[in-house]
Amino acid sequence: MGKVALITGITGQDGSYLSELLLSKGYEVHGVIRRSSWPNTGRIDKTFDPESKQYIHYGDLSDGIDDLLYSIQPDEVYNLAAMSHVKISFDVPIYTSEINAVGVCRILEGIRKLGLAKKTKFYQASSSEMFGITPPPQNENSVFNPVSPYGCAKLYSYHLTRSYRSGYGLFAANGILFNHESERRGVNFVTRKITRAACRIKLGLQDTLRLGNLDAKRDWGHSKDYMRAIYMILQHETPDDWVVSTGETHTVREFLESVFEYLEIPMEKHVIIDESFKRPNEVPALLGDSTKIQTVLGWKPEVSFKQLVKLMIDSDLKEVALELLK
Ligand code: NAP
Ligand code: G4F
């Protein structure tokens, strides 16, 4: 019989790619979606097929998912649900802590109390934002120095995951993922904000793009590659903590220049620096050293920075062209 997985955050960028990956491996996939006033299943609509083994349940990390854990008895839980926007975490720090920290405690406690500790493996979506102002390169042994409510909440969950592993023998693993993007990236993260706006400028639908700090450096990979990594993390014989990154870093300005160059539009005419997009605290530079996962699990990123930029632009050009037809 195939394995059964439960994904929180299945409607997000990563959740949608992970669901596709697990379905392709014969898994029965259960996803938690939250109630919204407008459809939030756009990224997973194509896997809603009567033949597919993807099942959707309403739930929220503020409520806990014990009933689902009990009825599904999953072999693997991938906890991807989060308030995932760093800048917005400064606006809603208490909510961010409630979901990204206490919400994770609810799931771990659920697994423990329901007697699933020996059956259910748990994956926690930890983040390179936890390194904060620690200078690069960052690996599993680097000091955590978070400077945002998001980073602090994620660090709580990172440690809680380790503590349930050591205290209760749970197979509980952390992936410390560096920034990863895709054609499905949320439109208010910097890469997608840039590719979408540049395509709209190219096709005459928009004139300006307002951005904050262009000097920050990020290690950007593709979400599909990173979902392959987290699957491998839960298949390893022992639970552990793993940095997942490309090992290459670029400034936001470099990303921006690559996009405008590719589309052959002059940047100076269209880009405005807007202080309101800057953060109370910034993480200046992220560059991951993923030697551990590359040597122990044999994982390697396949999509380069250049390919990522091209994939995102080509996809946005198609999407914006459809907008023109409306
Ligand atoms: P995303 O696109 O923003 O997706 C977040 C998901 O969480 C969505 O499905 C969202 O539902 C769901 N969610 C939010 N609040 C919830 C709640 N209270 N209860 C239940 N579900 C809730 O983020 P992503 O880029 O796929 O990231 C996935 C995970 O990896 C997140 O935990 C993120 O913090 C972490 N992470 C991401 C990166 C990255 O660069 N992408 C790097 C490191 C770690 P809706 O669709 O209804 O909003
Ligand atoms: O795209 P961003 O919002 O991503 P950020 O803050 O690095 O967080 C992402 O990666 C984390 C992993 O390191 C994840 F845990 C987290 O969930 C999320 O996926 O911003 C990237 C950089 C920042 O330095 C920001 O200050 O871009 C800079 N930036 C400049 N102008 C902007 C903008 N960011 C956004 N979102 N919007 C701007 O206009």
Side-chain angles (χ1 to χ4, degrees):
M1 231 186 59
K3 286 190 194 166
V4 177
L6 176 62
I7 305 176
T8 70
I10 193 170
T11 57
Q13 169 189 256
D14 288 1
S16 63
Y17 284 121
L18 180 65
S19 178
E20 285 166 24
L21 178 70
L22 296 180
L23 288 169
S24 76
K25 292 185 181 297
Y27 274 64
E28 180 178 305
V29 174
H30 294 261
V32 180
I33 66 167
R34 52 181 181 162
R35 189 266 161 187
S36 69
S37 68
W38 195 253
N40 58 355
T41 56
R43 292 179 174 114
I44 53 169
D45 282 346
K46 70 174 181 168
T47 35
F48 275 127
D49 160 351
E51 301 298 306
S52 108
K53 290 190 286 177
Q54 176 180 269
Y55 306 95
I56 293 306
H57 313 267
Y58 280 105
D60 198 296
L61 257 55
S62 60
D63 215 38
I65 53 166
D66 286 8
D67 287 352
L68 287 177
L69 288 170
Y70 184 70
S71 59
I72 296 165
Q73 307 251 323
D75 298 295
E76 295 168 9
V77 172
Y78 293 87
N79 180 38
L80 308 185
M83 203 308 285
S84 68
H85 201 283
V86 173
K87 175 152 194 303
I88 297 173
S89 78
F90 289 97
D91 301 324
V92 291
I94 297 168
Y95 174 75
T96 302
S97 310
E98 181 59 45
I99 303 309
N100 298 8
V102 182
V104 183
C105 189
R106 289 192 182 96
I107 302 178
L108 286 166
E109 263 302 271
I111 294 174
R112 185 186 74 79
K113 281 192 197 153
L114 292 167
L116 295 171
K118 293 275 171 285
K119 174 182 168 73
T120 301
K121 294 181 180 181
F122 176 78
Y123 172 83
Q124 169 56 17
S126 287
S127 165
S128 51
E129 181 71 15
M130 301 184 314
F131 292 118
I133 53 173
T134 292
Q138 297 97 357
N139 69 16
E140 292 83 0
N141 301 316
S142 302
V143 174
F144 293 117
N145 252 321
V147 291
S148 63
Y150 171 87
C152 294
K154 284 281 182 182
L155 188 54
Y156 166 94
S157 301
Y158 165 86
H159 283 300
L160 198 72
T161 299
R162 288 167 57 93
S163 115
Y164 273 67
R165 183 201 302 164
S166 59
Y168 302 118
L170 239 79
F171 190 112
N174 282 293
I176 307 170
L177 272 52
F178 282 62
N179 297 49
H180 46 280
E181 319 294 310
S182 73
E183 304 87 305
R184 297 184 194 168
R185 185 56 145 155
V187 293
N188 60 356
F189 294 95
V190 80
T191 54
R192 186 78 196 283
K193 183 175 170 182
I194 293 171
T195 57
R196 191 161 171 267
C199 291
R200 286 172 60 84
I201 291 169
K202 177 81 180 173
L203 300 189
L205 284 172
Q206 185 173 331
D207 189 48
T208 50
L209 164 59
R210 306 181 86 86
L211 291 169
N213 177 18
L214 302 188
D215 296 323
K217 289 181 165 175
R218 290 292 182 271
D219 179 334
W220 279 298
H222 194 287
S223 172
K224 261 190 176 178
D225 279 342
Y226 287 43
M227 293 307 101
R228 214 166 21 84
I230 77 171
Y231 172 72
M232 292 169 94
I233 287 171
L234 279 204
Q235 309 319 306
H236 189 49
E237 65 262 23
T238 47
D240 207 337
D241 309 314
W242 309 84
V243 159
V244 182
S245 66
T246 69
E248 201 179 302
T249 194
H250 296 271
T251 59
V252 174
R253 183 177 286 98
E254 283 163 1
F255 189 94
L256 181 68
E257 285 166 354
S258 310
V259 173
F260 276 73
E261 257 167 50
Y262 183 86
L263 288 169
E264 297 177 332
I265 31 179
M267 227 174 83
E268 325 69 59
K269 256 184 80 181
H270 300 282
V271 177
I272 296 174
I273 299 302
D274 182 336
E275 294 299 313
S276 72
F277 289 108
K278 294 189 176 167
R279 302 162 181 201
N281 281 323
E282 176 64 281
V283 167
L286 292 173
L287 167 62
D289 166 9
S290 55
T291 306
K292 180 175 165 183
I293 192 165
Q294 301 214 22
T295 50
V296 181
L297 301 188
W299 174 83
K300 263 214 301 275
E302 283 170 3
V303 179
S304 68
F305 176 76
K306 217 172 146 190
Q307 286 166 330
L308 173 68
V309 171
K310 183 174 167 359
L311 282 168
M312 292 180 73
I313 298 175
D314 291 347
S315 164
D316 273 332
L317 274 177
K318 284 195 196 125
E319 221 174 282
V320 175
L322 286 178
E323 225 183 293
L324 266 178
L325 295 177
K326 281 185 192 157

